[in-house]
Amino acid sequence: MPWGTFLKIGEQIMSRFPQGWETFFEEEIKKDYFQQLWKTVQHEYYTTTVYPPGKDVFAVFKLVRPEDVKIVLLGQDPYHGKNQANGIAFSTASAITPRSLANMFKELKSDLDIDHPSNDLSGWVAQGVFLLNTILTVREHQPLSHQELGWETFVLNVLNFLNSNNKVILYCAFGNQAMKMYSKINGIKSENILRYGHPSPFSYDKYFKGTRPFSQINSWLEFHDLTPINWAQ
């Protein structure tokens, strides 16, 4: 099945693979699980309201080539409100800051005295911070509604692909769900994982506040002779 036909969601078509990810996607879309996943996801877009917009499902892949990924930071699933999800974990197209992102920005201010200029985190991704959700689509107002459709398998395959092709990569876990996913990666090294609590309102004060993840990530990158992230972008 041609890629444009296979990836069609309503009137939106991705006409080509994200640049640099061709090898991965060419193999992945041939797999039975992915074809069943995409059949289900297309049906969801046709019959109900699903986020992010179809053109943005793989947005994070379009912003950074696999060989340029230095850090993986997993989210859970997309924001489930209108005009929020943009295909980048934690990031949003909305001017209203979701609570978890607001808490990340609080910690960024406390850690490095940086006020991030917007809710759009594409500037981080362009520098090699791969902000990927574990589940890439969601029904409106129904968090985790696309859990166990096959996205988790897809994301684990992405992580294995990155881990096998990148010489040095940092896996940053915000919460237990990200850590569970990282534990499944083939050959992952414990020294390449930084673990923190989740920035959600339920765990921010106890497990995330004061942990200084942004400066610690940059220290890790510098130790491995990699350019630190400009978190103000």
Side-chain angles (χ1 to χ4, degrees), residues 14-190:
M14 181 186 287
S15 60
R16 61 181 182 178
F17 299 113
Q19 189 174 14
W21 294 91
E22 293 90 348
T23 299
F24 172 77
F25 275 95
E26 284 169 1
E27 292 301 316
E28 209 65 19
I29 67 169
K30 297 174 185 176
K31 298 177 181 178
D32 290 342
Y33 93 89
F34 192 90
Q35 295 193 21
Q36 181 57 51
L37 163 66
W38 205 252
K39 181 179 179 181
T40 303
V41 168
Q42 286 187 98
H43 182 263
E44 286 282 288
Y45 272 94
Y46 285 132
T47 59
T48 187
T49 301
V50 175
Y51 299 123
K55 65 181 177 61
D56 292 334
V57 172
F58 297 109
V60 69
F61 293 88
K62 303 175 187 178
L63 295 172
V64 61
R65 298 170 66 93
E67 62 267 27
D68 295 327
V69 172
K70 297 185 288 190
I71 305 155
V72 173
L73 179 52
L74 284 184
Q76 185 169 268
D77 64 342
Y79 298 121
H80 52 83
K82 186 177 181 180
N83 297 326
Q84 291 184 323
N86 63 0
I88 303 170
F90 299 105
S91 177
T92 178
S94 173
I96 300 173
T97 310
R99 290 180 292 176
S100 290
L101 181 59
N103 286 335
M104 288 172 63
F105 287 161
K106 283 181 185 178
E107 187 60 23
L108 179 61
K109 177 66 174 179
S110 174
D111 187 0
L112 295 172
D113 196 26
I114 290 174
D115 293 302
H116 198 268
S118 76
N119 294 333
D120 179 6
L121 304 182
S122 59
W124 293 2
V125 181
Q127 297 177 74
V129 185
F130 199 53
L131 297 172
L132 180 66
N133 280 315
T134 307
I135 305 163
L136 300 194
T137 54
V138 66
R139 283 187 180 184
E140 185 176 39
H141 305 316
Q142 295 183 45
L144 297 178
S145 50
H146 283 183
Q147 190 175 31
E148 298 183 357
L149 295 185
W151 282 127
E152 295 91 342
T153 299
F154 172 79
V155 168
L156 181 57
N157 291 347
V158 171
L159 298 180
N160 278 321
F161 175 80
L162 287 171
N163 199 53
S164 63
N165 287 280
N166 292 32
K167 292 182 178 180
V168 181
I169 191 166
L170 172 64
Y171 299 91
C172 187
F174 281 2
N176 292 330
Q177 292 302 314
M179 193 63 208
K180 287 179 182 178
M181 180 63 78
Y182 292 154
S183 69
K184 300 175 183 178
I185 298 173
N186 296 329
I188 192 170
K189 299 177 181 178
S190 59

